[in-house]
């Protein structure tokens, strides 16, 4: 990834949309501008788990305003991430088409663990250096993330499907707050948190920070109304209990009038409070401090890491290779040849950065294409594809995991199962390169390959290779000829041009 003087991150949260712009100086980021709008995406999720039209229009109007601020930014200097509501919405794909057209930049849907990792990265960069284990809790609109980490490294990551918007809609849909309803909301949250209590218990951390709008709102309310009973910053259990009494006394969200609570936050404060109260009770939290960093800052620092060759995706690929005991020597052979072929196939593609991204994905696919052998050798490419699309792979968005999975699935066997994936020229070039590399190194040995030249255009791919070498390697020749039929099923003319002189490769 090229280095840019400014980077921008957009967080499409379930409650709010955020835009953060920062200036890059070496390995540091300095905030330049930020925008925030309450969109309440989670509130637009109907019972059929589809985003309703009114909610989509609110989101599109917000993105239209964001697009003006991002005008002139190079595509790779902006990263847009969607969280829980877009993870669960059944019509998310249709909405993303509209959203990307309005915003002018691609949108990634990130998994819960990836969201937690990025939140921790943003929070950790906002805190003073410490060797203490830190518990971070981020109550979003549709999910709540729990992370324990030390310095810049997260050690434990969890994402639970409850947030201030979804919890408020579930338990306080008409705004009424009673003792019974509040108890049910708290118990529901505690039940969710109990699944992670052992790993996140008080003996696992020394400090606690909140990084969400809910945490900031509760901190302001407790301080401005002296609910904590002291003048120290942060959220305490005593303070939460005092606020709980206030909520029960008022009895209706629409009647809340208290210092520190912004009108935009009021409709979802009861649900957010119930989750926070449950976390304090279940995990034994004495006091929570506020962190200024959040998901959008984490996205920026993750982008900065990619610029400085500290890409978390690369780290994850190496970890997966170790976890699944991949033959690293064979993976290196496949990677080297597939990249060489991929560069030839994409040599005339007009967008250099798109080619760079495509080659990175091809490199990772080459190294991970055999993860499925750990399940079974028969049909291992299908097992590999399943693992890569469903596993938590830090650094990768859901879309990147899908592309990685499809590319690995396409490297062997019939191509009709991935015909839609291969309708894109980049994906086509990647797949041709990976399939050929696995054919040439089927023996899993270091062999002397002949000079090769490959080129592709719409509907046609030609491989130029020494005819004499093919005659000395009849198995490889047979496998290459089988590729003709495989690609013909997609109406792509794959042909092998036997050559006799070196001049043919110039």
């Amino acid at each position: 990834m090229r280095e840019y003087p400014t980077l921008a991150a957009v967080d499409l949260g379930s409650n709010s949309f955020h835009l953060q712009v920062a200036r890059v100086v070496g390995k540091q980021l300095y905030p330049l501008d930020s925008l925030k709008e309450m969109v309440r995406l989670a509130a637009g999720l109907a019972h059929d788990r589809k985003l309703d039209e009114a909610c989509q229009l609110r989101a599109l109007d917000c993105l239209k305003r964001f697009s003006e601020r991002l005008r002139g930014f190079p595509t790779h200097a902006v990263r847009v991430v969607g969280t829980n509501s877009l993870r669960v919405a059944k019509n998310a794909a249709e909405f993303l088409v509209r959203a990307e057209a309005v915003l002018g930049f691609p949108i990634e849907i990130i998994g819960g663990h990836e969201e937690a990792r990025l939140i921790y990265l943003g929070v950790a960069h906002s805190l003073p250096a410490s060797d203490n284990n830190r518990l971070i809790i981020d109550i979003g609109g549709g999910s709540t993330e729990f992370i324990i980490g030390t310095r810049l490294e997260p050690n434990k990551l969890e994402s639970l499907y409850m947030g201030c918007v979804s919890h408020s809609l579930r338990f306080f849909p008409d705004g009424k707050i009673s003792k019974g309803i509040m108890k049910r909301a708290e118990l529901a949250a505690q039940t969710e948190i109990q699944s992670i209590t052992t790993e996140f218990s008080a003996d696992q951390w020394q400090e606690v920070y909140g990084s969400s709008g809910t945490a900031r709102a509760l901190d302001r309310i407790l301080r401005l109304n002296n609910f904590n009973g002291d003048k120290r910053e942060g959220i305490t259990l005593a303070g939460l209990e005092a606020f709980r009494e206030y909520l029960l006394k008022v009895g209706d969200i629409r009647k809340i009038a208290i210092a520190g609570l912004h009108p935009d936050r009021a409709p979802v404060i009861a649900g957010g409070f119930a989750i926070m109260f449950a976390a304090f009770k279940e995990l034994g939290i004495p006091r929570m401090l506020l962190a200024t960093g959040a998901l959008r800052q984490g996205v920026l620092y993750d982008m900065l890491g990619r610029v400085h060759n500290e890409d978390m995706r690369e780290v994850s690929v190496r970890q997966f290779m170790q976890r699944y005991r991949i033959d690293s020597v064979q993976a290196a052979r496949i990677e080297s040849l597939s990249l060489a072929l991929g560069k030839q196939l994409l040599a005339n593609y007009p967008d250099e950065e798109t080619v760079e991204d495509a080659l990175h994905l091809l490199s990772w696919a080459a190294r991970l294409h055999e993860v499925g052998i750990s399940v079974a050798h028969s049909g291992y490419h299908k097992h590999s594809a399943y693992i890569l699309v469903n596993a938590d792979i830090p650094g990768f968005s859901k879309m990147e995991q899908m592309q990685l999975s499809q590319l690995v699935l396409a490297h062997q066997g019939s191509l009709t199962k991935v015909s839609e994936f291969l309708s894109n020229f980049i994906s086509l070039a990647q797949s041709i390169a990976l399939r050929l590399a696995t054919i040439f190194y089927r023996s899993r040995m270091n062999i002397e390959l002949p000079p090769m030249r490959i080129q592709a255009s719409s509907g046609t791919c030609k491989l130029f290779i020494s005819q004499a070498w093919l005659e000395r390697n009849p198995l490889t020749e047979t496998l290459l000829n089988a590729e003709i039929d495989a690609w013909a099923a997609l109406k792509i003319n794959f042909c092998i041009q036997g050559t006799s002189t070196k001049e043919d490769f110039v």
Side-chain angles (χ1 to χ4, degrees):
M1 180 176 171
R2 293 178 183 175
E3 187 166 358
Y4 296 99
T6 55
L7 297 174
V10 181
D11 161 18
L12 307 183
S14 297
N15 188 41
S16 304
F17 284 8
H18 295 265
L19 185 155
Q20 182 83 50
V21 179
R23 180 166 59 97
V24 178
V25 180
K27 293 189 177 183
Q28 292 296 319
L29 292 170
Y30 295 90
L32 289 177
D33 196 8
S34 63
L35 295 171
K36 171 189 173 182
E37 290 194 25
M38 286 276 193
V39 174
R40 298 241 162 82
L41 214 55
L45 279 171
H47 293 298
D48 59 359
R49 285 201 164 187
K50 290 185 177 182
L51 294 167
D52 64 36
E53 184 63 18
C55 164
Q56 292 189 50
L57 290 176
R58 288 199 305 274
L60 295 173
D61 285 344
C62 172
L63 294 179
K64 191 178 296 183
R65 290 184 282 274
F66 281 10
S67 71
E68 180 183 344
R69 180 61 184 86
L70 294 171
R71 196 175 295 155
F73 272 75
T75 300
H76 287 71
V78 178
R79 189 176 177 195
V80 188
V81 299
T83 58
N84 185 69
S85 289
L86 292 176
R87 286 196 288 269
V88 302
K90 290 183 177 179
N91 59 341
E94 294 94 323
F95 168 72
L96 289 181
V97 172
R98 301 171 70 185
E100 289 179 348
V102 169
L103 185 62
F105 294 91
I107 299 171
E108 307 172 25
I109 308 302
I110 55 175
H113 279 217
E114 176 65 1
E115 182 179 354
R117 183 187 74 84
L118 292 171
I119 287 169
Y120 183 82
L121 191 59
V123 170
H125 275 93
S126 73
L127 298 175
S130 170
D131 289 326
N132 285 341
N133 285 343
R134 288 163 161 164
L135 169 62
I136 312 300
I137 299 178
D138 186 291
I139 301 173
S143 65
T144 298
E145 280 64 49
F146 296 80
I147 314 104
I148 294 177
T150 308
R151 290 186 176 268
L152 298 178
E153 292 298 321
N155 303 318
K156 298 177 182 179
L157 303 162
E158 282 296 343
S159 180
L160 301 181
Y161 284 98
M162 58 180 181
C164 63
V165 178
S166 58
H167 221 58
S168 294
L169 288 172
R170 179 181 174 187
F171 293 99
F172 312 99
D174 59 358
K176 300 297 183 182
I177 305 172
S178 67
K179 187 176 291 186
I181 293 172
M182 180 60 77
K183 192 63 179 176
R184 286 196 293 274
E186 292 164 358
L187 286 174
Q190 279 188 254
T191 300
E192 290 291 323
I193 296 169
Q194 280 170 1
S195 66
I196 64 168
T197 297
T198 302
E199 287 192 293
F200 288 82
S201 58
D203 60 339
Q204 304 293 313
W205 41 261
Q206 291 80 48
E207 302 172 14
V208 185
Y209 290 88
S211 64
S212 63
T214 293
R216 284 189 291 274
L218 289 172
D219 175 66
R220 283 194 305 271
I221 292 168
L222 302 194
R223 280 190 295 106
L224 294 178
N225 296 278
N226 200 30
F227 283 156
N228 282 332
D230 60 37
K231 295 184 178 180
R232 293 165 58 197
E233 290 187 358
I235 300 170
T236 65
L237 183 59
L240 290 173
E241 288 174 337
F243 183 49
R244 185 178 189 273
E245 289 182 17
Y246 169 83
L247 290 174
L248 293 176
K249 183 179 179 180
V250 173
D252 193 320
I253 290 171
R254 291 161 295 190
K255 295 179 181 179
I256 295 176
I258 192 169
L261 181 61
H262 194 277
D264 284 346
R265 177 63 54 177
V268 297
I269 194 63
F273 164 82
I275 295 170
M276 184 68 80
F277 190 71
F280 265 69
K281 298 276 282 188
E282 194 64 34
L283 302 180
I285 299 170
R287 181 181 291 268
M288 172 187 282
L289 298 177
L290 271 293
T292 56
L295 175 60
R296 54 198 174 278
Q297 286 83 10
V299 172
L300 287 170
Y301 275 104
D302 200 56
M303 292 171 71
L304 188 65
R306 296 179 183 186
V307 170
H308 293 286
N309 296 317
E310 297 168 0
D311 194 333
M312 188 63 205
R313 294 172 296 181
E314 186 66 34
V315 174
S316 294
V317 169
R318 291 198 295 267
Q319 290 175 342
F320 259 57
M321 291 181 71
Q322 292 177 351
R323 183 190 305 176
Y324 291 95
R325 299 182 179 180
I326 288 175
D327 182 343
S328 58
V329 176
Q330 174 69 357
R333 295 186 192 105
I334 301 298
E335 179 187 23
S336 178
L337 181 53
S338 61
L339 286 177
L341 295 172
K343 288 175 182 177
Q344 288 189 44
L345 288 164
L346 296 171
N348 296 320
Y349 198 82
D351 188 336
E352 290 183 14
E353 290 198 344
T354 297
V355 171
E356 184 181 343
D357 289 345
L359 293 176
H360 276 137
L361 195 76
L362 179 58
S363 167
W364 297 324
R367 282 181 277 165
L368 296 177
H369 74 283
E370 290 190 334
V371 295
I373 288 180
S374 62
V375 178
H377 185 271
S378 177
Y380 77 86
H381 60 300
K382 298 176 184 177
H383 303 312
S384 296
Y386 180 85
I387 291 170
L388 293 174
V389 78
N390 288 290
D392 285 315
I393 313 180
F396 285 85
S397 69
K398 288 293 184 184
M399 180 60 73
E400 287 173 327
Q401 285 188 232
M402 178 60 74
Q403 291 172 336
L404 194 60
S405 171
Q406 290 288 286
L407 180 52
V408 166
L409 184 61
H411 93 271
Q412 192 177 82
S414 168
L415 290 163
T416 54
K417 60 185 179 293
V418 286
S419 58
E420 185 176 347
F421 173 69
L422 295 173
S423 62
N424 175 284
F425 180 74
I426 291 287
S427 302
L428 178 71
Q430 292 169 319
S431 299
I432 291 171
L434 187 56
R435 283 178 74 93
L436 292 180
T438 57
I439 287 174
F440 281 105
Y441 282 116
R442 183 161 182 166
S443 67
R444 309 183 76 86
M445 295 173 59
N446 289 326
I447 59 174
E448 186 175 347
L449 294 174
M452 282 181 274
R453 182 164 59 89
I454 191 167
Q455 60 188 37
S457 58
S458 179
T460 303
C461 179
K462 290 184 179 181
L463 173 67
F464 298 87
I465 187 170
S466 165
Q467 185 61 45
W469 188 90
L470 288 175
E471 290 171 1
R472 292 195 303 272
N473 295 271
L475 174 59
T476 301
E477 184 177 23
T478 299
L479 294 172
L480 289 174
N481 285 327
E483 286 296 285
I484 296 172
D485 294 332
W487 288 103
L490 298 185
K491 297 182 179 180
I492 292 174
N493 181 24
F494 181 87
C495 57
I496 301 162
Q497 184 73 51
T499 59
S500 58
T501 65
K502 290 184 178 181
E503 284 72 20
D504 291 315
F505 299 101
V506 177

